[in-house]
Amino acid sequence: MDTTYRIAAIPGDGIGKEVMPAAQRVLDTVGSSFGIRFEWSELEWSCEYYARTGRMMPPNGLDQLREFDQIFLGAVGYPGVPDHVSLWGLLIPIRRAFRQYINLRPVKLLPGIDSPLRDVPAGGIDFVVVRENNEGEYSETGGRMYRETPDEFAIQESVFTRRGVERAMRYAYDLAQVRGKRLASATKSNGIIHTMPFWDEIFRELAAQYPDVATSEFHIDALAALFVLDPARFDVVVASNLFGDILTDLGAAIIGSIGIAPSGNINPEGQYPSMFEPVHGSAPDIAGQGRANPLGQVWAGAMMLAHLGHEEAAATVMDAVSHVLSVTGVRTPDLGGTASTQEVTDELVAALEREVAR
Ligand code: NAI
Ligand code: MG
């Protein structure tokens, strides 16, 4: 009998609504040959929903989501709704309520893709950024006073807890142990004098417990430069919420397109659903044209499979992605091709079906 998973699918806005069905097709296809069945429940929560109801999701939205095995998200955000409204009305509450305190973002150059960096050989970039996902610089603590007067000011407080920092770092150390045994930490303890020295202290405390992992620490500015100058040196990188966010857009750029990069918002204990999504946003500039790259959403789907314990099915999806990129050359305009979302998806499904037929 097939293993069935109940998945909440939130396509969201813009190209989220185009790449979601593409990835669902791919997952259904691979599932059928691995005895996995996805029972999709589509939730229309989005900026469009907000325009209609004044909310990004219903008041009991989190209770609805809690019932699912995992959450699969496209992208939210659209002109007309301020970005902080769409982010704090949907994504951030989900990440926090479900203690998805790890944001896992692989930065890997896939076969057939040229990095925009000169001199990067095939397979020359392969690391993972572990971004703290529940606290840090993304905090509600602070406020604004004296609005619309010359004395107006805004204060935003960062929140770094021992528990929050330690669990993110421990996850990164554990991951480094099963990968290349190298862990780099993103800091800025020269300029940010309270939270970042605290971050560094905890990083060093844990290092003592992982003697087999080689550690390094970089100020975030220097680290950004190294992502460009020497990406091959990295294996696992651990970063705070904001630093991880910025680094991974750069990570997406050096692997060829933000349209490819995936991410997992992980609740490692499995007490709550985790959420898988591409790194990219809703791309209003190309929405509705049918030329969004579906590979970021598809790769996020492969991460969901792996998280569910189906490593082999996940690897099969990534093999199909590599095949389409390196053998067929069918690719969307962001990768220099001319294919549509639909054409890329058709090729992926065909590759998976051939795999099954073998
Ligand atoms: P974006 O990622 O949507 O777009 C940046 C650039 O990359 C655009 O030129 C876009 O056309 C291109 N791009 C992105 N994904 C692509 C794909 N799959 N295929 C081909 N090209 C792709 O970031 P932007 O423009 O800063 O934000 C647009 C909206 O998305 C905003 O409302 C923002 O708040 C939201 N957003 C939502 C995220 C989420 O749901 N997790 C993450 C980032 C942004
Ligand atoms: Mg980002």
Side-chain angles (χ1 to χ4, degrees), residues 188-197 243:
K188 190 63 191 170
S189 46
N190 54 352
I192 301 179
I193 63 161
H194 299 302
T195 53
M196 281 296 145
F243 289 178

Side-chain angles (χ1 to χ4, degrees), residues 21-52:
Q24 286 173 308
R25 242 184 95 200
V26 169
L27 289 176
D28 285 336
T29 306
V30 74
S32 67
S33 57
F34 281 88
I36 303 162
R37 207 170 68 81
F38 291 102
E39 199 178 292
W40 304 103
S41 293
E42 193 119 333
L43 302 168
E44 45 154 13
W45 308 342
S46 60
C47 289
E48 220 173 276
Y49 182 88
Y50 178 87
R52 232 172 35 242

Side-chain angles (χ1 to χ4, degrees), residues 65-86:
L65 286 177
R66 208 184 299 271
E67 302 304 315
F68 291 96
D69 292 315
Q70 307 296 337
I71 304 164
F72 201 37
L73 181 106
V76 288
Y78 220 68
V81 178
D83 285 344
H84 69 270
V85 169
S86 50

Side-chain angles (χ1 to χ4, degrees), residues 15 75-78 83 91 258-259 277 280-286 293 334:
I15 63 167
V76 288
Y78 220 68
D83 285 344
L91 265 182
I258 192 159
E277 55 169 335
H280 67 73
S282 55
D285 55 334
I286 60 162
N293 192 337
D334 57 305

Side-chain angles (χ1 to χ4, degrees), residues 56-121:
M56 289 298 294
M57 63 176 157
N60 71 347
L62 293 172
D63 290 328
Q64 288 188 43
L65 286 177
R66 208 184 299 271
E67 302 304 315
F68 291 96
D69 292 315
Q70 307 296 337
I71 304 164
F72 201 37
L73 181 106
V76 288
Y78 220 68
V81 178
D83 285 344
H84 69 270
V85 169
S86 50
L87 194 65
W88 283 88
L90 187 70
L91 265 182
I92 292 190
I94 294 173
R95 288 174 177 169
R96 296 204 170 164
F98 298 148
R99 303 293 188 273
Q100 295 166 351
Y101 59 82
I102 298 298
N103 193 314
L104 202 56
R105 297 188 163 185
V107 178
K108 184 173 177 180
L109 185 62
L110 297 178
I113 294 191
D114 292 327
S115 169
L117 303 179
R118 256 189 300 131
D119 304 332
V120 172

Side-chain angles (χ1 to χ4, degrees), residues 197-262:
F198 180 55
W199 171 274
D200 294 351
E201 245 172 70
I202 297 175
F203 185 71
R204 290 170 203 160
E205 279 170 29
L206 284 177
Q209 299 172 30
Y210 294 86
D212 53 334
V213 174
T215 60
S216 51
E217 299 173 36
F218 299 96
H219 292 308
I220 181 72
D221 39 358
L223 185 58
L226 283 176
F227 268 32
V228 172
L229 297 175
D230 190 13
R233 75 155 73 196
F234 297 108
D235 177 29
V236 180
V237 177
V238 66
S240 63
N241 210 332
L242 174 66
F243 289 178
D245 184 37
I246 298 171
L247 281 176
T248 48
D249 262 45
L250 179 54
I254 62 175
I255 61 166
S257 167
I258 192 159
I260 306 175

